Amino acid sequence: MRRQCRKDEGRVARWILPLVAALWTTALPEPAEGQLKWQDLVFTGGFSAEGYRGNLPAVTVPAVDSTDHASAVAGEMGARGVVSLFTRENRTLGLEMDAGLRQFAAGGFEVRDYAPREWVARLDLAYRHSLTRTGVLWIEAGAGGRKVEDRPPMPLFIQPGYLTVDGRVRMDFYPVRGVFFDAELGGEAGDYQTSVLTPQLDLLDRKSFGGEVGATWGASWTVRLHTGFRALAYKNQGTFDPSDPYRRDRAYSLGATWAVRSSVRAQIGVEGTFNRSNSDRPEYNALRLQAVVAAPLPGGLSLNLFGALTRKDYLIETDFARLVPGEEADNASQVYLELARPLLVNLDGALRFGWTRAETDIGESYFQRYGASFLLRYRPRAR
């Protein structure tokens, strides 16, 4: 396991360091000493109570220890910060960092109780360059990771550990007759961490490349239409076809988003995804409806609502498990309702309720999560 982790870290270093170096070289033609500035720094802590439902096969341990119902209490802490590395009249370079820890105490299983621990971290570097006649150019590079200890069986699903690196180039064009066009190209490499008990997670390793174009118009309200394409390659998943032995997917998307900004901010979107593959197993069609609302309430309260409903249909039914990486995030149905208010000048408190129905790392196997959380967010006072 330690050898595998060192191997994964080496892969991340080989991917992310050249990207960071390229951005740094492009963005810093002259010294930028003394320009570092924290734009935001937030420390978060809290606890939650969660219930899980499902009747799913255990894939993370050799013993069958799944159950219809499971429960957990969890404590969490994290930090998020945005640093401005330098700012010019038409150029900026920023660094965003996000890291957190969640410790669970889970029960309801047949063989034993579990105490999963989840570490997550993300680092993003973004360079912005305003071009005089064309628009705004963005060059971004990032790396993220997750480590999970004592990962439990179903239905308490925790995404397995992984390391990812990604990069993208985006152009936001100046308006033409009131219409803003944008275009983006990007790629990602993901490496899932395996162990003696979970060698099948190696099948999730993937590389992807794709792009998206969009058009936006409106003033107090806006409408954006977009279409995208993504190519994915899974070097460890076979197709049983000697002439085309490794799985390759092509995902096409088409969507629209309507947004309004006033004292109440609201956004409603719809997107369809069509995934086609040289392997029959993962081909599917999905439709996703999404809504986001942020509104002030009396008494200094604020309301934040996020909802997403997804319908996903596989084109071909099979009798064996399908590993579908990322689908628990890409095609999940989720509802989050949060009530927050300031407690002190630099301290906010929030009460959050949530529901999730999502696919696990076995295709067409779903779990449901119900939870309530209390969170504190502390922002140190700027000097």
Side-chain angles (χ1 to χ4, degrees), residues 262-316:
S262 60
S263 59
V264 176
R265 300 177 61 180
Q267 178 178 296
I268 299 175
V270 58
E271 182 177 74
T273 301
F274 313 93
N275 193 76
R276 298 298 179 260
S277 176
N278 62 342
S279 175
D280 290 338
R281 295 175 296 164
E283 292 194 328
Y284 65 86
N285 298 328
L287 181 65
R288 181 179 178 87
L289 301 175
Q290 181 174 301
V292 180
V293 177
L297 297 177
L301 289 170
S302 62
L303 179 145
N304 297 291
L305 173 66
F306 171 83
L309 300 178
T310 301
R311 171 66 184 269
K312 178 182 178 184
D313 294 308
Y314 285 97
L315 300 186
I316 298 177

Side-chain angles (χ1 to χ4, degrees), residues 223-242:
V223 173
R224 180 176 184 264
L225 302 179
H226 67 272
T227 183
F229 167 78
R230 187 169 60 152
L232 304 98
Y234 303 84
K235 63 179 181 179
N236 297 327
Q237 292 194 36
T239 62
F240 306 104
D241 182 357

Side-chain angles (χ1 to χ4, degrees), residues 16-264:
I16 192 63
L17 291 180
L19 290 171
V20 173
L23 279 174
W24 192 266
T25 302
T26 303
L28 294 178
E30 55 187 77
E33 297 179 357
Q35 298 189 59
L36 296 180
K37 180 181 179 181
W38 284 97
Q39 292 183 322
D40 194 16
L41 179 61
V42 184
F43 295 96
T44 303
F47 61 89
S48 60
E50 303 173 354
Y52 298 81
R53 300 181 63 181
N55 186 17
L56 310 174
V59 296
T60 57
V61 291
V64 176
D65 197 12
S66 291
T67 180
D68 291 333
H69 299 81
S71 60
V73 293
E76 63 181 270
M77 58 185 301
R80 176 177 57 84
V82 180
V83 182
S84 175
L85 301 180
F86 84 88
T87 301
R88 295 282 192 274
E89 181 178 355
N90 61 346
R91 292 172 295 166
T92 62
L93 180 67
L95 181 67
E96 183 172 350
M97 300 165 286
D98 195 351
L101 165 67
R102 295 188 75 196
Q103 175 65 61
F104 295 79
F109 296 96
E110 298 176 1
V111 177
R112 69 177 180 91
D113 291 334
Y114 294 81
R117 181 178 298 158
E118 180 184 28
W119 306 80
V120 294
R122 175 78 191 176
L123 186 68
D124 290 286
L125 188 66
Y127 171 64
R128 180 189 64 84
H129 193 146
S130 297
L131 304 176
T132 304
R133 298 182 179 181
T134 310
V136 180
L137 173 67
W138 292 87
I139 304 175
E140 301 173 343
R146 177 190 301 270
K147 181 181 178 181
V148 180
E149 300 172 353
D150 198 25
R151 186 175 179 232
M154 299 300 108
L156 204 167
F157 178 77
I158 298 177
Q159 189 178 24
Y162 61 80
L163 292 169
T164 64
V165 293
D166 57 81
R168 66 196 65 85
V169 177
R170 188 177 80 251
M171 190 71 192
D172 295 329
F173 296 94
Y174 293 136
V176 177
R177 295 183 179 180
V179 179
F180 294 82
F181 294 94
D182 60 87
E184 177 180 304
L185 289 175
E188 181 192 58
D191 193 340
Y192 281 75
Q193 297 175 357
T194 63
S195 68
V196 175
L197 299 179
T198 58
Q200 73 275 13
L201 294 180
D202 200 39
L203 298 175
L204 301 179
D205 293 351
R206 70 186 186 277
K207 293 181 180 180
S208 67
F209 179 81
E212 182 178 288
V213 293
T216 305
W217 64 91
S220 59
W221 56 266
T222 61
V223 173
R224 180 176 184 264
L225 302 179
H226 67 272
T227 183
F229 167 78
R230 187 169 60 152
L232 304 98
Y234 303 84
K235 63 179 181 179
N236 297 327
Q237 292 194 36
T239 62
F240 306 104
D241 182 357
S243 63
D244 193 8
Y246 301 108
R247 174 184 161 187
R248 293 178 292 104
D249 286 16
R250 302 291 183 268
Y252 308 88
S253 61
L254 181 65
T257 304
W258 173 83
V260 60
R261 291 188 177 184
S262 60
S263 59
V264 176

